[in-house]
Amino acid sequence: MTLDERVSTLTEAGAADRAWRFWFTLPIYPYNKRRTIRTEVTPDTIWTFDQVQGILYVVVPIRMTVVKLTGGGLLVYAPVAPTGECLELLNELVAIHGDVKYIILPTISGLEHKVFVGPFARSFPQAQVWVSPEQWSFPVDLPLSWLGFPLGRTHILPADSSHTPFGNEFDYAILDTVDLGPGQFAEVAFFHRKSRTLLVTDSIISVSIDPPSILQLEPYPLLFHSKDRSRDPLTDTPANRLKGWQRICLFALYFQPSVLEILNLSQTLRESFTAPDRGKQNYFGLYPFRWQSDWERGFTALRNDGRLLVAPILQTLILNRAPKQTIAWVDRVAQWDFDQIVPCHFDAPITTTPQQFRSAFDFLERHSPPDSGLPAADFRLLKEIEQRLQQWRIIFAAKEKI
């Protein structure tokens, strides 16, 4: 069955199968309904399960990766919401390849990944849950069992992957905890030797030129961001979907890129009265954005032909707090002989090399190649946020490049 046929079949199955009952634990779009697309990445070996998440229609894919184990069974990296639709798609693989044996939580700070682990694990009571070390919660640091992780079958990933039951098929590297002040950041990269595939969470991405398939199923967010003014109708065309996606990428990765102007409240309210749709779904006609006529140059620079990219927020607020340990982790990962990367967000799979992965982190080094980074002007708001947070002593100061 083709992807289009599979989507059509699931559409007929009804919205009840897409219900996510625990949406209130992380109340972001699309709230209590989540669609799922399954894609075979490596024939008969690796599959991705894409859903959508976002705020104010700035939506991007969130991805779970499933790997078939040599001895039978499946390993799940970074679970997504276990809706009826998602579980149906996964159980089709279970029927062929065996039970889910291992569930991996590869982050300590990614709430959008952590909230799904407990409910997902309850759907597969025979599976072991393995989590990255130094887990924490805010505002109170609670035991994992209080956060829904199953007692008796939740384990901490040891430093040496050979000490795990899946160590004969996977290597992994743990990015030592990056202390940010109010919390910590960490990530565990998994390398599946047989398929030469690297699995990562947030550390690396690639931006596709076209909207991902999962966003095309319900394109309203794409059309919302394709508007130039409040008065513009939401017209569903391939060009508008493309335009909306490219602007969403700029929002998601910079918050406020240099090609965007934010209108003041009074102007936003005045213009809202001209909107053809002033309903709740269209935010009552409110659209406080003005894109420069050449806004596409911002997306072109960001995408840069789909090269590997460390998200600007990680560059500005997180990884620069620990450049030495980050580069040590990157160097370890770059020793593996992978030829594709599957991240948890944006495009996947990404055909690449260890050398290209290593080069994406040049921003942490003093002598990085000239013109290797993103335009400095697009980092303006992120730099302002960084300065404010440091002034208020919410986060630690960045460390010197190595």
Side-chain angles (χ1 to χ4, degrees):
M1 182 178 287
T2 66
L3 173 61
D4 288 342
E5 290 169 339
R6 187 64 187 148
V7 169
S8 175
T9 300
L10 293 174
T11 299
E12 295 168 3
D17 288 340
R18 304 177 193 125
W20 170 232
R21 291 186 302 147
F22 301 105
W23 66 272
F24 53 86
T25 59
L26 187 63
I28 59 177
Y29 185 89
Y31 307 108
N32 63 339
K33 300 290 183 184
R34 288 178 174 252
R35 302 187 73 168
T36 306
I37 285 182
R38 185 186 72 204
T39 304
E40 187 175 65
V41 171
T42 301
D44 203 40
T45 303
I46 297 180
W47 300 263
T48 56
F49 289 64
D50 282 15
Q51 295 180 354
V52 165
Q53 68 172 24
I55 298 174
L56 301 177
Y57 294 140
V58 178
V59 295
V60 298
I62 179 170
R63 180 173 300 114
M64 170 178 83
T65 305
V66 177
V67 184
K68 183 179 74 172
L69 300 168
T70 301
L74 303 169
L75 177 143
V76 174
Y77 181 92
V80 293
T83 63
E85 182 178 68
C86 176
L87 293 175
E88 178 187 350
L89 289 167
L90 182 52
N91 281 323
E92 288 178 358
L93 300 181
V94 168
I96 300 170
H97 304 292
D99 287 336
V100 173
K101 288 188 173 181
Y102 310 111
I103 298 168
I104 310 298
L105 174 61
T107 179
I108 65 173
S109 52
L111 188 59
E112 74 276 19
H113 303 288
K114 190 180 298 188
V115 295
F116 302 129
V117 176
F120 191 92
R122 284 194 288 277
S123 297
F124 299 96
Q126 77 287 344
Q128 297 180 26
V129 179
W130 291 81
V131 304
S132 55
E134 306 297 332
Q135 292 290 327
W136 62 282
S137 60
F138 180 86
V140 179
D141 197 9
L142 299 172
L144 287 176
S145 60
W146 290 27
L147 299 175
F149 289 72
L151 275 171
R153 55 189 179 103
T154 298
H155 314 279
I156 306 298
L157 289 167
D160 187 343
S161 59
S162 67
H163 295 163
T164 64
F166 43 83
N168 60 327
E169 297 187 55
F170 293 86
D171 292 314
Y172 61 72
I174 302 172
L175 173 58
D176 290 337
T177 304
V178 178
D179 196 350
L180 306 175
Q184 297 83 36
F185 174 89
E187 179 169 329
V188 186
F190 266 61
F191 173 53
H192 184 234
R193 302 188 199 102
K194 181 179 178 181
S195 66
R196 299 174 63 186
T197 301
L198 179 68
L199 308 179
V200 297
T201 313
D202 301 312
S203 59
I204 207 81
I205 59 172
S206 176
V207 177
S208 62
I209 194 167
D210 296 314
S213 297
I214 189 65
L215 269 69
Q216 303 266 23
L217 296 182
E218 296 180 356
Y220 194 91
L222 300 174
L223 305 179
F224 180 86
H225 285 291
S226 72
K227 297 187 298 182
D228 292 315
R229 299 286 190 278
S230 295
R231 62 175 178 269
D232 293 344
L234 271 66
T235 306
D236 191 359
T237 65
N240 279 344
R241 291 189 180 202
L242 178 65
K243 184 178 180 182
W245 165 244
Q246 295 182 357
R247 289 177 171 180
I248 282 172
C249 292
L250 292 168
F251 270 121
L253 294 174
Y254 292 126
F255 298 169
Q256 185 180 340
S258 59
V259 293
L260 177 71
E261 173 191 356
I262 302 297
L263 305 183
N264 60 42
L265 179 59
S266 61
Q267 187 175 1
T268 299
L269 290 173
R270 285 199 306 272
E271 293 197 0
S272 71
F273 290 108
T274 68
D277 178 4
R278 297 182 62 196
K280 180 181 178 181
Q281 185 180 26
N282 197 40
Y283 291 123
F284 309 103
L286 298 173
Y287 189 77
F289 311 119
R290 271 299 179 276
W291 292 91
Q292 296 178 10
S293 59
D294 62 343
W295 66 267
E296 293 98 329
R297 65 179 170 85
F299 177 79
T300 299
L302 173 67
R303 182 174 182 271
N304 197 7
D305 295 323
R307 69 170 181 180
L308 292 178
L309 166 70
V310 177
I313 189 171
L314 266 70
Q315 292 192 32
T316 310
L317 298 174
I318 297 176
L319 297 183
N320 58 347
R321 268 64 195 160
K324 185 175 180 180
Q325 66 197 67
T326 299
I327 289 296
W329 176 75
V330 169
D331 285 341
R332 182 180 172 191
V333 172
Q335 293 176 4
W336 297 330
D337 185 26
F338 55 85
D339 55 25
Q340 67 176 356
I341 299 178
V342 180
C344 287
H345 304 286
F346 289 91
D347 202 12
I350 309 164
T351 301
T352 189
T353 66
Q355 293 74 28
Q356 291 170 330
F357 174 81
R358 176 62 178 81
S359 296
F361 295 85
D362 283 346
F363 68 93
L364 292 171
E365 298 179 300
R366 292 191 185 94
H367 304 294
S368 58
D371 301 323
S372 63
L374 297 168
D378 288 321
F379 282 81
R380 182 187 62 216
L381 178 60
L382 288 171
K383 289 292 186 182
E384 291 177 0
I385 293 172
E386 178 188 34
Q387 292 173 2
R388 294 283 181 87
L389 293 177
Q390 288 181 191
Q391 289 173 358
W392 298 336
R393 298 184 178 180
I394 295 176
I395 64 172
F396 297 135
K399 295 183 179 178
E400 292 291 329
K401 295 183 178 183
I402 64 172

